[in-house]
């Protein structure tokens, strides 16, 4: 049951706030979280600070402080837009979904009990609105009718034919066609608009849950614990989804960089 | 000559996320690193994965458009007025 993603202004269960820490900007200027590994779910001083920052921000918002609201908007708007774009067909609809989300945030402020991190709460509202909108557009099937994540399903990260067979006399299951280094790809090409387009395309081709996880983890720089909380995933399933998503995105980039 | 460790390349690529997430048990991590040390193909694979993550991080660089920000500010002002009228 995904009961804690079923309605808009719903708060999380008690006891989750220690893991849903860090009200750091979603626009992770410090880069993806994966390059700065942080232990999952460990209550930390940073978590307490973030909870305190949430409390202060909430008080300011409830008091009608415009600056506090704009701070929140500047911090999360672009992230919310990217999340919305994973579910709806175009930018205009995504913008509407995000605007609706902000309104719902304001209207829900009074009821929000702060048991989950503010950003977790906001993102849940966004995801619910985006999914509702996508269903109305006939763009996706209702979430509950999607097959559950099958972590046992065989989904190799790399095409099996790139390895020697398991009974190879010298190199069983070792690289037959190893990857080529990207060290020689010029920086200009790595950071080119086309590379970013290919990345977005590769993400758009992923199943919905994999998209959500890779977006929050590797684009927005959330911690594993925050993603587990927001998407109601176990740590293991979060990691499986992340692994599959990253593996496919790497493959797409490899195809692209190997083209020339 | 034998393989660099009892871990195969095909197994290693499935452990890359656990390795980067630092969720491998110490013994598994040691096997992983032992294989890696002797396998250029897997070193390149891991390097590509790190590069992939770095590039994904660059997708977060957009910011809000001024018009959308202005509209939200008006939404906030309406909300505040309504809240005060209650």
């Amino acid at each position: 049951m995904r009961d804690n993603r079923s309605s808009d202004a719903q708060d999380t269960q008690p006891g989750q706030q220690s893991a849903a820490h860090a009200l750091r900007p979603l626009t992770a200027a410090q880069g993806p979280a994966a390059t700065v590994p942080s232990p999952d779910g460990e209550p930390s001083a940073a978590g307490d600070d973030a909870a305190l920052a949430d409390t202060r921000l909430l008080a300011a918002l409830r008091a009608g402080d415009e600056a506090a609201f704009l701070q929140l908007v500047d911090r999360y708007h672009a992230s919310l837009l990217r999340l919305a774009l994973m579910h709806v067909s175009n930018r205009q609809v995504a913008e509407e979904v995000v605007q609706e989300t902000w309104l719902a945030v304001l209207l829900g402020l009074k009821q929000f009990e702060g048991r989950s991190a503010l950003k977790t709460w906001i993102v849940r509202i966004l995801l619910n609105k985006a999914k509702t909108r996508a269903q109305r557009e006939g763009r996706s099937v209702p979430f509950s009718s999607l097959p559950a994540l099958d972590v046992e399903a065989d989904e190799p990260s790399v095409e099996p034919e790139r390895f020697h067979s398991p009974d190879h006399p010298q190199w069983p299951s070792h690289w037959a066609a190893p990857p080529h280094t990207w060290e020689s790809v010029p920086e200009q090409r790595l950071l080119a608009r086309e590379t970013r387009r290919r990345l977005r395309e590769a993400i758009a081709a992923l199943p919905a849950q994999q998209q959500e996880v890779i977006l929050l983890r590797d684009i927005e720089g959330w911690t594993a614990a925050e993603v587990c909380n927001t998407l109601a995933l176990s740590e293991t399933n979060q990691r499986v989804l992340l692994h599959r998503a990253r593996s496919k995105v790497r493959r797409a980039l490899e195809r692209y960089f190997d083209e020339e | 000559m034998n393989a660099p460790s009892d871990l195969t390349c095909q197994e290693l690529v499935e452990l890359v996320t656990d390795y980067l997430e630092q969720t491998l048990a110490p013994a598994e991590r040691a096997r992983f690193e032992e294989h890696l040390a002797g396998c250029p193909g897997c070193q390149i694979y891991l390097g590509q994965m790190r590069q992939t993550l770095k590039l994904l991080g660059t997708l977060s660089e957009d910011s809000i458009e001024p018009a959308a920000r202005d509209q939200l500010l008006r939404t906030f002002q309406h909300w505040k007025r309504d809240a005060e009228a209650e």
Side-chain angles (χ1 to χ4, degrees):
Chain A
M1 267 295 277
R2 292 167 195 290
D3 47 359
N4 58 349
R5 30 194 314 172
S6 60
S7 90
D8 276 350
Q10 209 173 358
D11 215 336
T12 34
Q13 297 90 344
Q16 288 197 338
Q17 80 267 39
S18 64
H21 51 246
L23 189 81
R24 69 190 151 96
L26 283 87
T27 43
Q30 67 272 46
T35 58
V36 195
S38 60
D40 296 1
E42 262 178 36
S44 63
D48 295 342
D49 288 351
L52 190 64
D54 266 16
T55 308
R56 288 203 182 121
L57 194 53
L58 273 170
L61 287 171
R62 285 173 177 146
D65 183 342
E66 267 179 26
F69 180 67
L70 288 177
Q71 191 192 336
L72 201 63
V73 165
D74 289 339
R75 203 176 279 177
Y76 298 136
H77 191 84
S79 305
L80 296 177
L81 194 57
R82 280 190 289 274
L83 273 165
L85 275 167
M86 297 188 322
H87 295 279
V88 299
S89 55
N90 65 56
R91 192 171 173 103
Q92 197 201 325
V93 176
E95 292 269 9
E96 285 169 21
V97 167
V98 178
Q99 294 277 346
E100 281 171 28
T101 299
W102 284 119
L103 186 60
V105 165
L106 291 175
L107 296 174
L109 269 181
K110 231 189 256 178
Q111 287 81 38
F112 178 66
E113 292 172 25
R115 286 187 303 205
S116 64
L118 194 54
K119 76 173 182 185
T120 299
W121 178 60
I122 295 173
V123 165
R124 287 215 189 110
I125 295 177
L126 182 280
L127 287 174
N128 282 319
K129 294 215 171 289
K131 282 172 191 164
T132 306
R133 188 65 179 252
Q135 279 167 34
R136 222 191 306 153
E137 288 188 313
R139 202 166 173 262
S140 77
V141 285
F143 211 83
S144 56
S145 72
L146 287 176
L149 167 73
D150 187 358
V151 293
E152 302 302 326
D154 191 27
E155 202 177 300
S157 301
V158 177
E159 301 87 332
E161 53 274 22
R162 294 191 57 179
F163 300 98
H164 291 298
S165 70
D167 51 14
H168 189 277
Q170 200 180 0
W171 301 104
S173 301
H174 284 59
W175 290 106
H180 304 297
T181 179
W182 295 344
E183 302 290 324
S184 52
V185 178
E187 187 88 342
Q188 256 174 317
R189 178 146 193 246
L190 283 175
L191 299 173
R193 186 181 290 260
E194 180 62 11
T195 305
R196 295 153 69 97
R197 196 181 69 76
R198 298 285 180 126
L199 275 172
R200 290 199 185 94
E201 229 174 58
I203 294 169
L206 298 170
Q209 279 186 304
Q210 292 181 22
Q211 281 192 43
E212 288 174 359
V213 170
I214 198 169
L215 186 122
L216 291 175
R217 287 298 311 279
D218 293 339
I219 300 180
E220 313 301 346
W222 286 33
T223 65
E226 288 169 335
V227 173
C228 289
N229 263 333
T230 306
L231 303 180
L233 291 168
S234 70
E235 277 180 37
T236 304
N237 286 358
Q238 189 266 160
R239 218 159 44 239
V240 170
L241 290 166
L242 183 65
H243 181 69
R244 291 185 179 169
R246 284 178 174 178
S247 301
K248 282 179 231 171
V249 171
R250 187 211 64 86
R251 264 155 73 175
L253 281 181
E254 183 182 43
R255 277 195 296 275
Y256 172 55
F257 290 140
D258 280 354
E259 269 170 21
E260 283 157 38
Chain B
M1 198 183 127
N2 219 324
S5 81
D6 57 347
L7 193 68
T8 68
C9 305
Q10 203 163 7
E11 287 164 341
L12 184 137
V13 300
E14 300 303 341
L15 294 175
V16 161
T17 302
D18 289 336
Y19 178 71
L20 292 172
E21 296 278 283
Q22 302 188 313
T23 53
L24 287 178
E28 274 185 293
R29 188 174 180 87
R31 271 176 88 211
F32 186 101
E33 285 173 344
E34 191 196 334
H35 176 105
L36 199 63
C39 182
C42 285
Q43 286 166 20
I44 290 171
Y45 186 86
L46 184 64
Q48 288 188 350
M49 194 56 93
R50 288 204 161 106
Q51 191 75 52
T52 300
L53 302 187
K54 215 165 110 188
L55 292 173
L56 282 167
T58 67
L59 295 182
S60 70
E61 284 162 5
D62 313 329
S63 56
I64 183 168
E65 312 227 336
R69 197 173 187 268
D70 291 347
Q71 196 183 331
L72 282 168
L73 186 57
R74 284 195 298 276
T75 304
F76 185 76
Q77 287 160 348
H78 281 298
W79 167 80
K80 193 176 162 182
R81 216 172 305 142
D82 291 350
E84 280 164 1
E86 262 175 35

